[in-house]
Amino acid sequence: MITITLNGNEQPIEPPENITALLQSLNVNPKQVAVAVNGEVVRRTDWPAATITEGDAVEIVRAVGGGA
């Protein structure tokens, strides 16, 4: 197990983990979110290759529609 910071909270995960696998393990629909690792937004096309390691800070942000 490794520990990451996920949306501001410590979270243990099984390594090795990439963004795609992390979202699947969290039951998060990848079409509805944006992801940043250590303050850098990761393009969706790079998620399968973006490895998450011990101590990384991961932010998963849900897209919200709206407007007037």
Side-chain angles (χ1 to χ4, degrees), residues 11-39:
Q11 174 83 31
I13 63 171
E14 290 290 335
E17 189 83 65
N18 63 38
I19 292 173
T20 302
L22 177 64
L23 294 176
Q24 288 175 346
S25 72
L26 297 171
N27 293 318
V28 173
N29 184 342
K31 294 179 181 179
Q32 297 177 338
V33 297
V35 179
V37 178
N38 298 324

Side-chain angles (χ1 to χ4, degrees), residues 2-6 9-13 22 52-53 55-56 58:
I2 64 171
T3 302
I4 63 170
T5 302
L6 179 63
N9 299 304
E10 285 193 0
Q11 174 83 31
I13 63 171
L22 177 64
I52 299 168
T53 60
D56 280 349
V58 179

